[in-house]
Amino acid sequence: MSTPEERRYENRVRHLQARQNANLARGPKGVAAVWWDQARVLALRAERNGDPEMWDHLARTLENWCQQAQEREQQHNAQ
């Protein structure tokens, strides 16, 4: 028998997998939306548990992604 914490974790995993499967029809855009939602949930949960630095980590990750996207756009426009 699993603990309440283990059951909550298993439920979260099942929910994420179900959402990912449902969004597969939307392609990468749908999957990205699921990961974006999951990232915010995890950062919020970490903050509630006394670890607000996860928001900073998420912000840096998104900043890096945006910089890479802008570089790709500039390279594409230069061609």
Side-chain angles (χ1 to χ4, degrees):
M1 184 155 200
S2 39
T3 67
E5 185 173 315
E6 290 170 334
R7 284 192 301 276
R8 280 191 297 273
Y9 175 77
E10 291 166 3
N11 288 339
R12 284 194 302 262
V13 168
R14 260 195 308 280
H15 177 73
L16 175 61
Q17 289 171 340
R19 289 194 60 220
Q20 285 175 327
N21 290 336
N23 274 298
L24 283 178
R26 291 179 57 205
K29 184 176 180 179
V31 174
V34 171
W35 282 117
W36 167 241
D37 290 344
Q38 183 67 8
R40 290 182 305 165
V41 165
L42 291 170
L44 184 59
R45 190 178 306 136
E47 181 181 33
R48 276 192 232 133
N49 291 329
D51 186 10
E53 292 178 19
M54 289 303 290
W55 283 112
D56 293 329
H57 179 65
L58 178 57
R60 285 191 308 275
T61 300
L62 291 170
E63 179 184 17
N64 290 335
W65 185 92
C66 289
Q67 288 173 348
Q68 291 174 8
Q70 288 171 343
E71 288 171 9
R72 285 175 65 125
E73 185 177 54
Q74 289 171 353
Q75 289 171 356
H76 178 73
N77 291 336
Q79 295 176 352

